[in-house]
Amino acid sequence: MSAGTEFPFPFACKKQERGSACNMITVLAGGVGAAKFLEGLAAAMPPAEITVIANTGDDAEFHGLHVSPDMDTVLYTLAGVVDREQGWGLAGETFHCLAALERMGEETWFRLGDRDLATHLLRTRRLRQGATLSEAAEELRRAFGVRCRIIPMTDDPAGTRLRTDQGELSFQEYFVKLRQKPEVLEADFSAAAASKPAPGVLESITRADAVILAPSNPILSIGPILAVPGIREALRNTTATVAAISPIVGGRALKGPAARNLASLGYGATAAAVAELYRDFVKVFVLDEQDARQREIIERKGMRAMVAQTVMRSSEDRRKLAGSLLKELEGLR
Ligand code: FO1
């Protein structure tokens, strides 16, 4: 079966027509929301033509192991082994190792499953042997049989720090230990801002046909990626059409604290507020049917507003959203 008949969206066939060696679609991704969208995208076009630039601002060390939650959420989802109920971690996971650590007095608020630990053991061993985070990510991608390319935004340490009403916290202290209860007063991306983009990051933006910002938290998941030197500039200067999908629907986040973060940082929890954050480089902004009335506000920012069903409850929803965005992007080329 040819790619054209297997994948009904003409955008996916451009590469063959042009014979070009470029990446077709690059996606800037946080965790669960991005992974769901990517599952749909990988069903709607050849997955090998998708590059994912993953947020590593959430990375942390637990029990001596380097954990990259957003990269792993994307990896597990695309490999079809994610725990679909919670959206992260592995399906059918057990926690014997964590229970043993707890008995020895270790802090175990970050729930690392037995099989998930294998991923972190492997990654950490490779890092200690001198491999970069991108090299370790590539090895894991192959091990899990995932065809999309997954690259970290940077190979350097880039942990997000948060100033909150309960003091300064690492991302995972805020997100998991304190269950996103503190109010975020300032997000500190200075580590990301002092990092270098990982190999292939800037090229995958400048050479893509389209770049899509997944429906991820614009402050805490996309924010660290945009803070890496050169990435925002590459998005402004690329000839690719840059699109973004709002993670805010009806004033609420699809998942996680994005709405509260936008409100506490003074942006307002609306799709239009997300569009404003991306105003300098986004050409197509996807907002949910529930927010259709914000279409005009978004178009006044100089973007094309696309109204779609962005709430992804089923695999079919994911594929439909990805497919309709691909069609929209193809229509613009
Ligand atoms: N999220 C939680 O809410 N609680 C956890 O204990 C937890 C453990 C965990 C382990 C590995 C991993 O890859 C992800 C994990 N997550 C957990 C998810 C993660 O903290 C967040 O989804 C992201 O960092 C935000 O995108």
Side-chain angles (χ1 to χ4, degrees), residues 30-307:
V32 178
K36 286 182 178 177
F37 172 72
L38 281 161
E39 185 193 281
L41 191 65
M45 64 177 285
E49 293 175 8
I50 300 170
T51 296
V52 182
I53 300 175
N55 169 40
T56 58
D58 302 8
D59 285 23
E61 192 173 302
F62 292 101
H63 317 294
L65 302 176
H66 184 110
V67 182
S68 282
D70 284 355
M71 273 205 292
D72 292 345
T73 297
V74 168
L75 180 73
Y76 295 164
T77 304
L78 292 174
V81 294
V82 78
D83 179 328
R84 290 183 82 85
E85 190 96 344
Q86 60 189 9
W88 52 268
L90 289 159
E93 193 52 287
T94 55
F95 293 87
H96 300 295
C97 182
L98 209 71
L101 286 164
E102 194 165 352
R103 282 196 294 276
M104 288 188 274
E106 293 295 305
E107 281 198 59
T108 54
W109 50 265
F110 196 75
R111 309 288 301 158
L112 292 167
D114 296 323
R115 287 183 301 131
D116 187 28
L117 279 164
T119 302
H120 314 312
L121 282 168
L122 224 138
R123 175 187 293 120
T124 307
R125 190 193 70 207
R126 292 295 292 122
L127 293 174
R128 292 206 178 125
Q129 286 171 338
T132 61
L133 193 58
S134 335
E135 286 164 349
E138 175 59 13
E139 288 167 21
L140 285 167
R141 178 189 75 79
R142 283 169 192 263
F144 277 86
V146 167
R147 292 177 64 215
C148 302
R149 187 173 167 221
I150 305 171
I151 40 181
M153 63 190 201
T154 177
D155 283 336
D156 302 328
T160 297
R161 304 288 307 172
L162 300 170
R163 192 166 65 81
T164 77
D165 60 355
Q166 293 185 37
E168 199 196 307
L169 301 168
S170 71
F171 178 86
Q172 297 299 348
E173 284 169 332
Y174 161 73
F175 197 90
V176 176
K177 189 177 187 184
L178 300 177
R179 297 168 192 272
Q180 307 136 44
K181 293 218 171 79
E183 185 155 292
V184 174
L185 307 172
E186 194 186 341
D188 174 3
F189 303 129
S190 52
S195 75
K196 283 190 306 297
V201 164
L202 299 182
E203 295 78 356
S204 73
I205 293 172
T206 50
R207 294 195 197 147
D209 289 329
V211 179
I212 301 171
L213 276 70
S216 298
N217 186 322
I219 310 280
L220 298 183
S221 301
I222 302 295
I225 305 179
L226 298 179
V228 175
I231 293 189
R232 194 167 198 127
E233 208 181 359
L235 287 163
R236 286 189 191 130
N237 296 333
T238 181
T239 53
T241 308
V242 183
I245 304 164
S246 176
I248 301 292
V249 175
R252 299 169 63 160
L254 289 172
K255 190 166 168 56
R260 284 198 299 119
N261 300 151
L262 284 162
S264 72
L265 294 170
Y267 299 107
T270 61
V274 179
E276 180 62 28
L277 287 169
Y278 301 153
R279 186 179 192 153
D280 51 322
F281 55 83
V282 161
K283 303 283 180 310
V284 178
F285 190 81
V286 185
L287 69 164
D288 193 77
E289 288 158 350
Q290 293 179 45
D291 295 320
R293 272 181 298 179
Q294 292 177 48
R295 180 195 274 271
E296 274 175 30
I297 309 174
I298 288 160
E299 285 185 338
R300 278 203 295 273
K301 296 179 196 297
M303 297 173 185
R304 191 181 174 94
M306 175 185 151
V307 176

